[in-house]
Amino acid sequence: REGGRTVIIPLRGNKYINVPTEAALAEDPNLHTTAILSQPSADAWSYHYFHWDISQQLSFNHKWGDHFFSVVAAYEAEKKVNRTMSVQGDGTIGDDKIQTTKGVTLDIENTLNNLTSYAFDSWLVRAQYSWKGRYMDSASIRGDRSSRFGSSNRMGIFPAASIGWRMSDEPFMRKATWITDLKLRASVGQTGNAQIGNYDWLALYGSSPIYMGDGNSVVNQVYPKQIQNADLGWEKNTQCNFGVDATLWQGLLGLTADAYYSKTTNMLFE
């Protein structure tokens, strides 16, 4: 957390005017006609940042004979809050102009009041099995929830599965002594993307002053800035992969080849 505040508030009436002293008037009688207004200012600044996250993991591994089995369960949650306020005043002319926040009588520039927050939580369950390191398979399911989406689509479910076969351990490959290791693998799975603004699904409004033309009257207008999209949800990428890993001549040469297909749905744009 950080914060700072410096405030100098101008007063009303003649406090604004730099009135010449009697000695200055005696030296220059016309000085009263050139008396100038002072330049008071008002400045306030504060910044607040809050971030917490929690991560938990539970794992189980067991091996019996040629079989190996493992399970992992994990949970993670995160929240961020940013709050910023900044007001920078300027010199006033005439009487006190810092009167109200509803009109342009405020002679203030660079005003800013901002509050943003974001929350995310995720869980994962994954199971793996292997027999002699020759046949391998893995399956997982992941759930992610983000505050950046509409209330009906905040949760995304992303499954994945993979299999592997170490062909070089098969009896029919023993005569191929020049092949040290040869593994075939295949996988399919989904991932999600939530890289958008924190409030892109909400209906937002903006405001701006309208000058009425008489020099002083101002009316604040409110206009739609963003259309609500309660159905906004996760961008999903589905990918299938087929690969070969080979080590030849006791590590003298290594080869890796992959072929994959990827498809993205519900793409997010800003």
Side-chain angles (χ1 to χ4, degrees):
R1 178 181 297 179
E2 299 179 33
R5 179 183 293 266
T6 302
V7 178
I8 303 175
I9 303 297
L11 302 177
R12 293 179 176 273
N14 292 333
K15 293 285 186 177
Y16 283 126
I17 301 177
N18 292 331
V19 180
T21 63
E22 293 184 1
L25 286 173
E27 183 176 348
D28 185 358
N30 296 322
L31 191 59
H32 67 281
T33 63
T34 60
I36 59 174
L37 299 178
S38 63
Q39 296 181 351
S41 64
D43 188 304
W45 172 86
S46 67
Y47 172 74
H48 172 80
Y49 174 76
F50 176 77
H51 176 210
W52 66 263
D53 66 86
I54 182 173
S55 179
Q56 297 174 322
Q57 179 173 310
L58 180 66
S59 61
F60 170 79
N61 301 303
H62 184 67
K63 184 177 182 180
W64 66 99
D66 296 329
H67 304 272
F68 176 79
F69 180 74
S70 70
V71 177
V72 175
Y75 176 78
E76 183 177 1
E78 179 183 27
K79 184 174 183 179
K80 293 182 180 181
V81 179
N82 280 285
R83 182 181 292 111
T84 305
M85 189 275 287
S86 176
V87 177
Q88 180 178 346
D90 201 0
T92 61
I93 299 176
D95 203 357
D96 186 1
K97 291 209 170 187
I98 304 181
Q99 300 175 7
T100 176
T101 60
K102 296 182 179 180
V104 295
T105 53
L106 273 174
D107 188 19
I108 295 179
E109 299 177 352
N110 300 327
T111 59
L112 173 64
N113 188 9
N114 187 44
L115 172 64
T116 62
S117 62
Y118 166 64
F120 175 86
D121 69 339
S122 175
W123 55 264
L124 168 70
V125 178
R126 182 181 66 204
Q128 294 177 305
Y129 171 78
S130 171
W131 182 74
K132 286 188 174 182
R134 185 184 305 176
Y135 307 114
M136 299 156 282
D137 61 74
S138 174
S140 67
I141 184 168
R142 178 186 178 111
D144 294 324
R145 185 169 54 178
S146 172
S147 64
R148 291 174 174 172
F149 299 123
S151 56
S152 59
N153 287 315
R154 288 184 175 172
M155 175 63 74
I157 303 297
F158 309 102
S162 65
I163 57 174
W165 177 27
R166 180 161 278 109
M167 187 186 299
S168 56
D169 287 353
E170 296 291 347
F172 62 81
M173 293 290 294
R174 290 174 181 172
K175 292 183 179 181
T177 57
W178 56 280
I179 299 178
T180 305
D181 185 63
L182 178 62
K183 182 172 70 174
L184 306 181
R185 48 186 168 78
S187 63
V188 59
Q190 279 190 334
T191 57
N193 175 29
Q195 298 303 312
I196 57 174
N198 291 336
Y199 307 107
D200 283 1
W201 70 279
L202 288 174
L204 301 180
Y205 295 86
S207 65
S208 63
I210 299 178
Y211 295 84
M212 304 305 294
D214 57 5
N216 294 314
S217 299
V218 174
V219 176
N220 284 334
Q221 67 168 343
V222 178
Y223 58 90
K225 189 175 181 181
Q226 179 175 286
I227 300 176
Q228 182 179 5
N229 184 5
D231 295 327
L232 185 65
W234 287 85
E235 174 182 301
K236 293 185 177 182
N237 178 264
T238 304
Q239 182 167 305
C240 301
N241 179 269
F242 302 92
V244 178
D245 299 317
T247 302
L248 310 177
W249 295 293
Q250 301 299 318
L252 183 63
L253 179 64
L255 298 174
T256 297
D258 284 277
Y260 68 91
Y261 170 78
S262 179
K263 181 180 180 180
T264 301
T265 57
N266 300 327
M267 295 186 68
L268 299 175
F269 297 94
E270 290 194 75

